[in-house]
Amino acid sequence: MLSRISVVVAACFLAACQSQDATEVDPPVVEGEVNPALERQTEEFERKVYTVTDGVYQAVGFGVANSILVEGDECVFIVDVMGSMESATAVKAEFDKITQKPVKALIYTHNHADHVMGGLGFVPDGEVDVYAHETTNYYINRVANVLRPVLNLRSTRMFGNYLPRQGPDRMENVGLGPLVETLDRDMTIGLIRPNKTFADTLDTEICGVKVQLVHAPGETNDQIFVWLPERDVLMPGDNIYKAFPNLYTIRGTLYRDVLAWARSIDKMRALRPAHLAPSHTRPISGREEVGEILTAYRDAIQFVHDQTIRGINQGLTPDELVEVVKLPPHLAEHPFLQEFYGTVEWSVRSVFSGYLGWFDGDAATLEPVNPDERAAGIASLAGGAEGLLRAASEALDQERYRWAAELATHLIRLNPSSTAAKRIKADALRALGRRHINANARNYYLTQALELEGEVEIHDDTKPENALSFVGTVPIGKFVAAMPANLIYEKSADKNIVAGFRFPDVDEGYGIHVRRGVAEFIDHFPDDPDITITTNSNVWRELVLGLRNPVTTFTSGDIQFAGSALDLVAFLRLFKPAID
Ligand SMILES: [Zn+2]
């Protein structure tokens, strides 16, 4: 068997290490300034409506995503509807200058909020055909899932919502869109749900325009592309944009099937489109140029996948793989593959965990020492906490920022109130963020630096009316089904209670059985419950979302219950933070 070192060398030789030097484009970064390449990317998002071809117009820069207008004889349809009412209304005003024909249909390329939340801005009464993949509704509902707190925290860091607008640590852009909208906490949403869905392919005609919708899993599982054969226009949704694809997103996501993504692009290549109108960044025209971009994009994705698998089979761990899997020069230098949004490194790690899960294969990491023991051990090697602080400070001075951040993290674990340690970690993260070409990394580093300094405290500042207008459309059963993951084990360890929920307005019933630290969801009204709660489904939603005071809700009679009031209160107190 090859030794570890020779495995790395062999993988390096066989994979793409010959390209390593050529690919490490180090843009001239000036201390205290935004990475100039990322700054240039902002120009990509200049607010403008492009004419893709006759009767197809693409609005760029009005929000994070684009919106595309397709004009037919008597009416128009819109592909992707922006992420808020405000941005949708601004786009609609521009589209109205082109044509006043009525909006007959909306098409959603996938479920992400920046593409679907502005529907009512285009069609105020909501009466419209909305085309999407058959799973898009399901994925929209998932946003209301039990992971909302952590996804909110990580998304907020990644999109830089709390970063200043000016200065070297400003929020420059989000990699594939401008800073507007993501920073706008006062935005309102106007979601219209899909009502014309399909599984694989849908051939139809809208406003006299032939339209083919094709399921194309990639950035999301519900992704579709839109093909207008008569106009030679392909709308790839988020499976193509002018940045390295986000094969993994650092806000946290299920594994994105990268090979399926490459195959989806192959379906697009087969159409040989003359125009590419993506849902982020600008349109591209020219059959040759579009073909070349599609090919480079799918090749980059497959390259990362294949070379990661190869390294995995040679025994490499994720930390080793990211050192050896580097794009070949022709891809690394391609304008559509610059790491403004996704990165090769995160993708490699994601492919590893997507196939093998968390264990890297080395028994030394199978049951690792706990973080406290590790921190104490590292400190002791450094001659105590003082020595470790000195080492972290030296690393910072030597511009070894990742190492400085790691050492400072151990120090903070040993002493969570250590200002000196937090200072070093914040400085290290800020230095990493300022230099980064990747907007997500930059925003994340800079935000966490501010958090360490106590300058920023991230909280869920979703406006109640937004929460209701969106989450209010999520089926009520999902709310009850989300309760188990909010169960406080310590309070429920000796409990055995069955609660039944009746929602007469939608004629649905559910149950929760709390059984010694576990809450089992029952998808129907349970037999012989200890407590029965009867209420309107919207009242329950508002209660769960914190828009109603529980005490006044109960005393006002909006919720009826059978059983003991004490039992009821005791039951609800078992859950946090949804119900308190
Ligand atoms: Zn998007």
Side-chain angles (χ1 to χ4, degrees):
M1 197 183 149
L2 291 171
S3 74
R4 172 65 39 144
I5 299 287
S6 61
V7 169
V8 175
V9 171
C12 197
F13 178 74
L14 295 168
C17 286
Q18 68 275 15
S19 67
Q20 231 172 334
D21 288 340
T23 58
E24 280 184 9
V25 184
D26 230 7
V29 175
V30 180
E31 182 57 45
E33 287 183 17
V34 180
N35 184 308
L38 184 63
E39 207 171 3
R40 272 199 307 282
Q41 174 79 342
T42 302
E43 294 163 19
E44 184 76 32
F45 313 124
E46 186 198 346
R47 219 173 231 239
K48 190 172 167 180
V49 178
Y50 293 86
T51 301
V52 179
T53 185
D54 284 352
V56 182
Y57 308 91
Q58 177 173 329
V60 177
F62 292 80
V64 176
N66 299 333
S67 201
I68 303 161
L69 168 74
V70 181
E71 186 179 2
D73 297 333
E74 308 293 333
C75 53
V76 303
F77 60 95
I78 311 283
V79 179
D80 287 349
V81 294
M82 311 302 294
S84 70
M85 290 293 286
E86 289 77 9
S87 55
T89 307
V91 170
K92 177 78 164 65
E94 292 299 314
F95 285 169
D96 283 348
K97 292 178 193 165
I98 298 167
T99 172
Q100 303 257 345
K101 292 173 189 169
V103 178
K104 176 76 174 74
L106 309 176
I107 299 175
Y108 299 162
T109 58
H110 61 295
N111 70 85
H112 282 169
D114 49 331
H115 302 259
V116 303
M117 290 300 172
L120 291 173
F122 290 96
V123 186
D125 67 2
E127 295 296 317
V128 66
D129 292 342
V130 182
Y131 294 85
H133 188 253
E134 63 182 11
T135 61
T136 296
N137 250 326
Y138 163 80
Y139 286 108
I140 291 174
N141 290 342
R142 274 177 57 102
V143 177
N145 73 12
V146 293
L147 289 176
R148 211 177 121 195
V150 69
L151 291 181
N152 177 65
L153 171 71
R154 291 168 57 147
S155 302
T156 301
R157 287 177 180 154
M158 173 179 135
F159 288 121
N161 299 39
Y162 285 75
L163 294 182
R165 308 291 284 262
Q166 307 289 335
D169 295 342
R170 67 179 179 269
M171 198 282 207
E172 178 62 29
N173 61 51
V174 295
L176 41 57
L179 55 75
V180 296
E181 205 172 55
T182 51
L183 280 185
D184 184 2
R185 289 174 217 165
D186 291 328
M187 69 176 193
T188 42
I189 61 178
L191 172 67
I192 310 174
R193 291 279 182 162
N195 50 36
K196 288 198 171 289
T197 63
F198 69 99
D200 298 321
T201 307
L202 179 71
D203 286 284
T204 186
E205 206 172 278
I206 309 173
C207 301
V209 181
K210 279 206 171 61
V211 180
Q212 186 177 56
L213 305 179
V214 179
H215 184 214
E219 200 216 41
T220 59
N221 288 335
D222 69 327
Q223 199 89 199
I224 65 168
F225 68 73
V226 183
W227 169 233
L228 307 181
E230 298 151 326
R231 302 193 184 180
D232 227 344
V233 176
L234 176 78
M235 302 171 204
D238 277 10
N239 279 344
I240 303 273
Y241 36 70
K242 195 175 178 184
F244 188 84
N246 219 17
L247 302 183
Y248 171 79
T249 180
I250 59 173
R251 67 175 178 268
T253 180
L254 294 174
Y255 178 58
R256 295 176 170 178
D257 184 343
V258 300
L259 271 194
W261 193 331
R263 278 195 296 271
S264 291
I265 297 175
D266 289 339
K267 287 189 195 167
M268 302 178 199
R269 291 164 76 213
L271 300 169
R272 303 197 69 246
H275 309 280
L276 187 69
S279 287
H280 292 277
T281 66
R282 297 173 187 177
I284 300 283
S285 285
R287 212 176 299 282
E288 287 287 307
E289 196 180 344
V290 169
E292 192 275 326
I293 290 167
L294 293 177
T295 304
Y297 218 74
R298 58 88 58 220
D299 279 358
I301 294 171
Q302 194 190 327
F303 181 92
V304 168
H305 172 272
D306 291 354
Q307 296 310 313
T308 301
I309 296 295
R310 215 170 124 243
I312 286 173
N313 284 324
Q314 287 162 339
L316 302 188
T317 65
D319 288 342
E320 291 165 342
L321 283 163
V322 299
E323 296 296 320
V324 299
V325 180
K326 309 275 182 184
L327 290 180
H330 74 285
L331 296 176
E333 288 156 18
H334 196 286
F336 269 67
L337 294 170
Q338 300 308 298
E339 294 180 318
F340 298 119
Y341 200 54
T343 78
V344 175
E345 174 165 344
W346 300 336
S347 305
V348 168
R349 293 183 188 279
S350 177
V351 170
F352 184 100
S353 63
Y355 278 93
L356 295 183
W358 61 267
F359 180 41
D360 72 6
D362 182 345
T365 70
L366 189 55
E367 294 169 306
V369 295
N370 73 53
D372 289 341
E373 187 183 344
R374 179 177 295 112
I378 298 269
S380 134
L381 285 175
E386 284 300 311
L388 186 53
L389 186 65
R390 230 175 3 255
S393 177
E394 274 167 27
L396 189 66
D397 291 343
Q398 293 160 359
E399 302 185 3
R400 296 160 68 209
Y401 299 118
R402 287 183 287 186
W403 184 232
E406 186 173 327
L407 295 184
T409 302
H410 293 312
L411 281 163
I412 294 168
R413 180 162 286 276
L414 292 172
N415 177 9
S417 59
S418 166
T419 318
K422 285 196 242 181
R423 171 86 267 144
I424 290 173
K425 184 167 176 178
D427 286 350
L429 298 185
R430 183 166 287 123
L432 288 166
R434 282 180 176 175
R435 281 163 170 71
H436 229 293
I437 190 174
N438 184 277
N440 293 327
R442 170 188 168 81
N443 294 338
Y444 209 105
Y445 279 129
L446 295 179
T447 303
Q448 212 176 331
L450 290 173
E451 289 175 76
L452 281 162
E453 291 163 342
E455 296 291 326
V456 153
E457 198 181 326
I458 295 174
H459 45 89
D460 186 352
D461 50 11
T462 312
K463 282 200 300 182
E465 53 270 41
N466 277 344
L468 254 200
S469 77
F470 164 45
V471 181
T473 66
V474 173
I476 190 65
K478 299 255 177 211
F479 280 83
V480 182
M483 288 176 72
N486 289 307
L487 181 71
I488 305 163
Y489 160 68
E490 295 77 3
K491 286 191 187 172
S492 61
D494 59 352
K495 297 283 190 297
N496 191 355
I497 311 172
V498 178
F501 294 82
R502 284 192 201 281
F503 302 103
D505 59 312
V506 287
D507 195 22
E508 289 176 30
Y510 301 98
I512 292 282
H513 184 176
V514 174
R515 190 170 51 243
R516 303 181 66 185
V518 176
E520 179 191 6
F521 171 67
I522 303 162
D523 69 357
H524 53 269
F525 191 84
D527 298 333
D528 199 21
D530 301 304
I531 314 160
T532 297
I533 297 165
T534 305
T535 188
N536 178 292
S537 60
N538 267 329
V539 170
W540 192 253
R541 280 191 188 90
E542 288 170 15
L543 196 66
V544 173
L545 292 170
L547 304 175
R548 268 175 178 267
N549 180 316
V551 176
T552 50
T553 303
F554 280 98
T555 51
S556 70
D558 283 342
I559 292 184
Q560 287 97 45
F561 64 93
S564 127
L566 278 178
D567 283 353
L568 177 68
V569 171
F571 173 79
L572 294 176
R573 289 222 165 120
L574 299 178
F575 297 89
K576 254 208 166 197
I579 301 157
D580 193 15

